[in-house]
Amino acid sequence: MVIALATLPQARGKFIRALALSAPGRDIMSAGHADDVARHVLEELELARDPSAIASVPLPKLFATVERIGRRLADETDAGTVFGPVLDGTVIPREPREVFADGTLRDIPFWLGSCRDEMVMFLKSAPPAAMIRTTERQVRATFGDAGWCRLLSYYRANARLDEDPYEALLSDAFWHRPMADLARRHAAAGGAVWLSRFDHRPALEPFLSQGPTHGADNACLWAHLPDFIDRPILRRKGGPMTPADIDVAARFQVSVLRFVTTGRPDIAQAWPRFEPGHEPLAIFGQPFHIVPLNDGARFRVWAELTEQSRPEVVA
């Protein structure tokens, strides 16, 4: 949402910097698909002939209908989600990736972040979220079944002891790689951008059992040290933090505050900005450290498959 808002023509001059955490960086929903979703919701509510009456539907009934329609239609979308920003040609006239690439946002510093195991939460939902199936489908469509199998075999061969290689592949495909692509586009256009990954497992459910999955960074960002706060909207209780939680959360909060106030999350020596030919990734864990983004066998396989999938140019 932050990325979509920042790219709007109406937002020109209103953003002095932007921090986007766990933004997948995918293409946003088409107007045609949004119209189809709206039609299904109205039909389910028996309001197809009087759409304006939706304003009088009790919220519990509306929310229950939206959830049913969402589960039914999510598999038909590219991203596996049915509610979100819409490329309608008016409010959002262009894909955010295009706006990043053409330099429109070059004067806005960006911090783009994700969690290491983003997809775990969605794999463990009941039933598993549609984005699991649609992401695998997209990778297979891009690289073919053989390419998918090659990727998965490399992830299995290089998996950490506590890592699900299938989840790691999907997290890279849906979250980490699209965020890195946005960072590259912004840097190539002359913009300042920093890229991070949150690797710490907060001692708070669901992260205690699921690891640094979607939202783990937010639990530490909004913590009131030495405690995690209650977050009623998410139906998540707070609780005491461990010394490791406090250490990582304090570092994270300081970086966010510094970025908000100065446009830079840290001094250049501690966390260099992301630039063409130099792509540092900040890891929020114990300890905080910097690693090269494009490193290891997994990256090489993605790069090889991407190159092989490019269409041949005929002179």
Side-chain angles (χ1 to χ4, degrees):
M1 186 64 75
V2 170
I3 290 172
L5 287 173
T7 61
L8 299 182
Q10 308 92 305
R12 191 76 56 83
K14 295 182 173 64
F15 277 77
I16 58 172
R17 36 198 154 266
L19 169 58
L21 299 177
S22 294
R26 62 181 183 266
D27 290 346
I28 57 179
M29 194 186 313
S30 70
H33 187 75
D35 288 341
D36 192 44
V37 171
R39 180 176 58 80
H40 277 84
V41 171
L42 291 170
E43 288 176 352
E44 186 83 1
L45 293 169
E46 299 182 345
L47 297 176
R49 295 185 178 180
D50 186 16
S52 62
I54 197 170
S56 62
V57 175
L59 287 180
K61 181 179 179 180
L62 178 61
F63 290 159
T65 301
V66 164
E67 183 173 355
R68 285 198 302 276
I69 295 299
R71 289 189 179 278
R72 189 186 311 164
L73 299 182
D75 275 316
E76 301 175 10
T77 70
D78 290 336
T81 55
V82 295
F83 299 102
V86 176
L87 188 66
D88 63 350
T90 303
V91 177
I92 304 181
R94 301 171 62 199
E95 279 286 353
R97 291 186 302 170
E98 297 174 5
V99 183
F100 270 81
D102 71 12
T104 300
L105 306 177
R106 69 167 58 93
D107 294 330
I108 303 174
F110 272 83
W111 172 353
L112 306 175
S114 57
C115 294
R116 188 189 70 193
D117 303 334
E118 290 277 3
M119 278 295 195
V120 169
M121 178 178 291
F122 303 101
L123 273 168
K124 291 184 178 296
S125 63
M131 68 175 70
I132 301 298
R133 298 179 291 280
T134 58
T135 301
E136 177 177 341
R137 191 166 65 224
Q138 286 178 349
V139 176
R140 287 181 181 272
T142 302
F143 301 139
D145 292 340
W148 165 266
C149 292
R150 184 182 173 198
L151 271 172
L152 188 55
S153 69
Y154 268 82
Y155 275 73
R156 286 171 173 161
N158 296 279
R160 303 184 315 273
L161 290 177
D162 63 342
E163 182 180 55
D164 175 352
Y166 179 68
E167 179 279 325
L169 195 167
L170 294 178
S171 287
D172 279 350
F174 191 84
W175 305 91
H176 304 145
R177 290 180 59 78
M179 287 290 267
D181 178 64
L182 284 182
R184 290 190 184 102
R185 290 169 183 263
H186 195 54
V193 59
W194 290 263
L195 192 66
S196 71
R197 193 181 72 205
F198 197 86
D199 281 20
H200 176 67
R201 179 196 297 262
L204 178 76
E205 291 296 348
F207 314 111
L208 192 59
S209 58
Q210 296 184 4
T213 187
H214 187 69
D217 47 4
N218 271 293
C220 289
L221 175 61
W222 300 113
H224 291 180
L225 309 185
D227 296 299
F228 292 112
I229 63 170
D230 292 340
R231 292 184 287 170
I233 293 178
L234 298 176
R235 299 177 183 175
R236 291 179 184 167
K237 289 287 188 181
M241 303 173 76
T242 66
D245 291 332
I246 294 170
D247 177 64
V248 175
R251 181 67 169 82
F252 193 52
Q253 291 179 4
V254 165
S255 293
V256 169
L257 182 59
R258 181 176 287 167
F259 181 75
V260 169
T261 55
T262 71
R264 183 180 289 274
D266 210 323
I267 59 173
Q269 295 89 336
W271 183 357
R273 60 190 270 184
F274 193 99
E275 296 180 299
H278 180 56
E279 300 183 341
L281 174 68
I283 304 296
F284 281 91
Q286 279 198 302
F288 171 86
H289 60 286
I290 306 293
V291 299
L293 174 66
N294 297 331
D295 193 22
R298 293 178 180 180
F299 166 75
R300 290 192 292 274
V301 176
W302 278 102
E304 290 170 9
L305 290 172
T306 300
E307 185 62 31
Q308 292 168 8
S309 68
R310 296 187 196 280
E312 292 186 10
V313 178
V314 179

